[in-house]
Each structure stands twice: as C-alpha cells, then as structure tokens.
Amino acid sequence: MFDYSKAQLITLLAYGGYLLLLSLITLLAYRIDKRKAEKGKWRTKEKTLLLLSFFGGAFGGYPAMLIFHHKTKGEHWYFTFINILGILLHAGIMVALVFFIRF
C-alpha cells in the first residue's frame, strides 16, 4: 500500500517524535503557568506559550487549555486561534509527508 524509503520513514518518525515531545512540553508549560496564576507567582510569558503552540506543541496546548481552563476567557481568543492554527499546520505537514512528499 505505502512504499516508503528508509529516509521517509526516519523523517516521519522524527517529525512525529518532535510533535509528541513538544506537545508534552507545551502541555506542562500551560499547567505550570496555570498553577503559578493560582498562587499569584511569576508567570510564563504569553509569547512563550504561543510560540510553543505554534511550532508544534498545539496538540498538547489546546487540550491543556480545555483541561486546566487556562487562557480560555474571551480576552485570550488568540490562544485558541494559534493552537488551532498550529494543529492545522502540523497536521497538514504530516499529511504531506505521508501522502505527497517522496524522496
């Protein structure tokens, strides 16, 4: 059905591992920031959370928003936007790697 070269399989596994690792890091970053917010301590910069989500961590960032009820109020609409954009972007890259890019 799918006939991948060794290089393609390594690329798919590396990219999948990258997404998995960054998603876990992003989920933890959202959780830590939520805890700090509850305790009134120093917080993680919004820019950091958004960059983590956009560059591959959205698969952990978006669920973290929902699970921890963090950055979900109306004034933080851009967190939802960036996480959904990140999910679409990286899902699209994965689909392209699986179905369209041959090397």
Side-chain angles (χ1 to χ4, degrees), residues 19 32-33 35 60-61 77 82 96:
L19 291 177
I32 290 167
D33 189 51
R35 281 210 169 160
W77 60 270
I82 291 295

Side-chain angles (χ1 to χ4, degrees), residues 1-52:
M1 184 169 153
F2 293 108
D3 189 27
Y4 295 114
S5 69
K6 196 173 192 176
Q8 285 173 303
L9 289 175
I10 291 170
T11 303
L12 283 170
L13 288 173
Y15 189 63
Y18 164 78
L19 291 177
L20 183 64
L21 180 63
L22 197 56
S23 293
L24 180 60
I25 290 168
T26 304
L27 186 130
L28 292 173
Y30 274 74
R31 179 62 184 136
I32 290 167
D33 189 51
K34 176 64 176 188
R35 281 210 169 160
K36 287 180 178 182
E38 292 169 346
K39 294 179 180 184
K41 292 185 176 180
W42 175 84
R43 305 275 306 276
T44 305
K45 292 181 181 179
E46 286 188 349
K47 182 179 179 180
T48 302
L49 295 174
L50 290 168
L51 287 172
L52 282 169

Side-chain angles (χ1 to χ4, degrees), residues 75-86:
E75 69 263 16
H76 296 292
W77 60 270
Y78 46 93
F79 273 87
T80 302
F81 177 77
I82 291 295
N83 275 287
I84 291 173
L85 183 65

